[in-house]
Structures are given as C-alpha cells and as structure tokens.
Amino acid sequence: MKAIVARGFGPIADLDYAEMPDPVPGKGEVLIEAEAIGVNFPDGLLVQGLYQMKPEPPFIPGMETAGRVRAVGEGVSGFEPGDRVATVGSLGGYAELNAAHHSAVMKLPDAVSVEDSCALLCGYGTSHYALKQRGQLQPGETLCVLGASGATGLAAIQIGKAMGATVIAVASTPQKQDIAKGAGADIVLGYDDLKDRLKEATGGKGVDVAFDPVGGEGFDVLSRSMGWGGRLLVIGFASGTIPKLPVNLTLVKGYSVVGVFWGAFTTKEPGVYADNMQELVGWYLEGKVKPVIEGVYPLADAPSVLERVLARGAAGKIILKP
Ligand SMILES: NC(=O)c1ccc[n+]([C@@H]2O[C@H](COP(=O)([O-])OP(=O)(O)OC[C@H]3O[C@@H](n4cnc5c(N)ncnc54)[C@H](OP(=O)(O)O)[C@@H]3O)[C@@H](O)[C@H]2O)c1
C-alpha cells in the first residue's frame, strides 16, 4: 500500500510518500480500506516530536480513517467486508489501509459521508466532550470560542448552538470571521481590544464558558473576561505558547479552569464516549451540526497540507484521499 511515513522526528517536509507492506488484521482488528483520511493539527506536532506521544520511528501518522472493511481478524464479530466504517486512533491513518482495533471502529449510517465522519471524530468529538462533560454548558449561557475558524473551533460553534448557548466566535482575519459567522456564531470578533469587546458582548457579566484551542495571549484575555461561576476550557496551544495563569484571577472572579484531553477520554470512559458519538451523529442527521470541509487533497500532498495547517492556514476540516 501507499502511505505517508515518518522515518524519524523532524521537519514535516521530510515525510515520505512510500510503498509499505499491507497491514494484516491481527486478533480483534478490522482492516479498513480508506476512502477519506482526516488531517488534524496534532499530526503535525507528532511528526516533529513536539507532541506528548512519541512513537518509535518509522511510523505512519494520522488519526482518522473512514472507508470500507476489507477483512477482519480473529475474534471480531459485528463487522463484515464491505461495511462502511470510520475509526479514530493515534497512528496509521495516512495510508491506503489501516488495521484498527474493533473497539475503536464504528459503523457509518448511509447518510454520513466518509469526509464528514472524519470531522465528526476528533474535531467534533473534542468540542462536544469539552462543552458537555467538561464545561457543563447550559442553554442560555454565553460561550466564547477562540480559533473559531479551525477544526475544533467551528465544531464548538455548532455544538454550542445545538446546546442552546449564545456563541461569541473569535478569529484573526475578516475571511476567518466570515467562516465562523457562516457556521452559526451569534457574534464574531477579532483579537483587537478583545477584553473590552467581550465585556460589551456579555453586558458586563463576563463569559460563562470559554473554549480555547489557541493559548498564548488569547488565553490571557479570557482569564480576565470570565463571568462568575464560569468555566475556561483548555483545549490546546495552536499559538505555540502555553500560557501561565495568575490563579488569584480564578478566586476573585469565581471561575474554574478545566483541562480537556479527548484522546484519553475515549479510552478511559468508553461508554460515555460511545453515547457522545451517538448524540453527535444524531445531531448531524437532524442537520444541527454540519462539518465545514475546507478541501480534499491526494494522500501524497499530506506534507504540504500539514505545513499549511500548522502555519495558521486552516479554515475548516481538511481531508486526504488515497
Ligand atoms: N485537547 C484535546 O483533546 C485536543 C483535541 C484536538 C485538538 N487539540 C489541539 O487544539 C489545537 C487546535 O486544533 P484544531 O484542530 O482546531 O487546529 P486548526 O484547525 O489548525 O485551528 C487552529 C486555529 O488556531 C489559531 N491560531 C492562532 N495562532 C496560531 C498559530 N501560531 N499557528 C496555528 N494556528 C494558530 C488559528 O486561527 P486564527 O488565525 O483565527 O487565530 C487556527 O484556525 C491544537 O493545538 C491541537 O493540538 C486538542
């Protein structure tokens, strides 16, 4: 099979598009023939050795595969060759074939496209878990989303609306702000004077729930813009800067800072994860959420696509096709 291979940790441009042995499904595994492969920001960190997980090279990066079952390994029931499925894991996605453990594979309803299913996994899965279990977002509350034109940000806007919140989206350029507006944000802001703009937008009350995949200065502003009883959700650090928090702010303003790690959640709380995915797919089928797919590119283009994602060039979900 063809795959993108990291021969060591280093620049994204060093990734190889190469012939690799076809994976054979082991005990409990499902072999999936990829029709769509999701690109995620952490893939770009991982291949450079900048992510919390450091696999032994050579390895195939990529978290999301959607397509059809080609074969199943020993002990697998409930899946047959030809079934439409999607899976999410840590590695192995940027390839024509992916062998995944059956517990991480879900069947796709006919109405869910392979491209959208990739977006619904890590991007929507993270934002849903963040807002529902970690943020306890309630109808009528205000939700502020940073990085609002990115994969997790757009998902947070739509999920926030589906949960009945008033959504304030923050993005860096007019074009990105338009994308956030198109995804359903009630109010769209840039980063200039953000503290004052958030104060105005919340009638001086402060933000109830903040969703921060960016870190850096944006986090600093949020830490001074939270309302009483608010929840500031730490999703990621796309800016490259892990912020420091003067904890007295949480005392004075009476808010909580809550960490979100979706990958760990899927393995530590598989039952809740399964319920979440069912709810998300239900919202998708009802038209309450609809992934914004920025583009579909050949698998061989993975390095240039990943470089663009890490250089602030993403506006929605990017898909690779074998
Ligand atoms: N905690 C979890 O479980 C979890 C799950 C998935 C992803 N993440 C993390 O969340 C972060 C965002 O992921 P994503 O999929 O939403 O990424 P994305 O689609 O690339 O969006 C990230 C957004 O961050 C903003 N940004 C600001 N400064 C940036 C910079 N220097 N470089 C790149 N982007 C910058 C950009 O918007 P503007 O230009 O408008 O600022 C961009 O749209 C990543 O750090 C990722 O690792 C965490």
Side-chain angles (χ1 to χ4, degrees):
M1 67 170 182
K2 288 282 192 214
I4 296 287
V5 186
R7 310 261 176 218
F9 297 116
I12 291 170
D14 288 356
L15 289 171
D16 256 359
Y17 180 60
E19 191 64 37
M20 293 291 279
D22 285 1
V24 177
K27 195 172 175 183
E29 287 186 335
V30 176
L31 183 65
I32 303 169
E33 200 168 326
E35 294 173 6
I37 297 160
V39 173
N40 286 286
F41 194 102
D43 302 338
L45 299 178
L46 187 118
V47 300
Q48 296 179 82
L50 302 175
Y51 197 57
Q52 51 255 44
M53 187 181 84
K54 295 195 171 48
E56 189 69 28
F59 62 87
I60 298 172
M63 298 164 63
E64 295 156 347
T65 303
R68 288 192 186 269
V69 174
R70 180 183 278 191
V72 297
E74 189 194 328
V76 174
S77 58
F79 293 101
E80 291 189 0
D83 284 349
R84 294 180 78 242
V85 293
T87 188
V88 63
S90 314
L91 292 172
Y94 288 9
E96 290 176 326
L97 295 168
N98 187 1
H101 195 265
H102 69 90
S103 59
V105 180
M106 59 182 237
K107 283 196 182 164
L108 285 182
D110 286 345
V112 183
S113 72
V114 284
E115 294 82 3
D116 286 353
S117 75
C118 289
L120 289 174
L121 287 169
C122 181
Y124 279 71
T126 297
S127 303
H128 185 218
Y129 167 59
L131 298 179
K132 184 171 178 160
Q133 277 86 21
R134 304 299 284 153
Q136 300 283 319
L137 180 66
Q138 302 300 314
E141 287 193 316
T142 52
L143 165 67
C144 176
V145 178
L146 299 193
S149 71
T152 59
L154 285 167
I157 293 171
Q158 294 184 357
I159 291 166
K161 290 309 298 174
M163 292 175 76
T166 299
V167 178
I168 305 167
V170 186
S172 60
T173 65
Q175 187 227 356
K176 288 183 173 184
Q177 289 160 17
D178 284 349
I179 292 168
K181 188 84 191 161
D186 298 287
I187 298 168
V188 178
L189 302 173
Y191 284 91
D192 290 345
D193 303 322
L194 183 56
K195 185 163 176 275
D196 291 342
R197 299 284 87 78
L198 287 175
K199 200 169 173 186
E200 269 168 34
T202 57
K205 195 171 152 272
V207 171
D208 294 314
V209 175
F211 180 96
D212 181 15
V214 179
E217 289 173 13
F219 178 92
D220 295 342
V221 173
L222 289 178
S223 71
R224 291 171 166 76
S225 302
M226 299 304 295
W228 186 254
R231 287 83 72 203
L232 200 176
L233 302 173
V234 178
I235 312 297
F237 314 104
S239 66
T241 304
I242 299 177
K244 299 261 189 297
L245 174 71
V247 289
N248 60 314
L249 291 172
T250 68
L251 181 155
V252 173
K253 291 176 173 286
Y255 71 85
S256 311
V257 179
V258 187
V260 178
F261 187 178
W262 179 76
F265 157 71
T266 63
T267 56
K268 287 179 190 289
E269 301 181 54
V272 185
Y273 166 49
D275 290 347
N276 273 12
M277 286 316 298
Q278 203 175 349
E279 181 168 63
L280 263 181
V281 170
W283 284 345
Y284 174 91
L285 296 174
E286 289 168 32
K288 287 186 179 168
V289 300
K290 173 68 186 152
V292 178
I293 305 292
E294 185 200 275
V296 179
Y297 302 88
L299 175 60
D301 290 357
S304 59
V305 164
L306 261 185
E307 279 178 333
R308 187 158 59 81
V309 168
L310 267 72
R312 216 170 179 166
K317 183 74 181 177
I318 297 181
I319 299 294
L320 301 170
K321 290 262 182 195

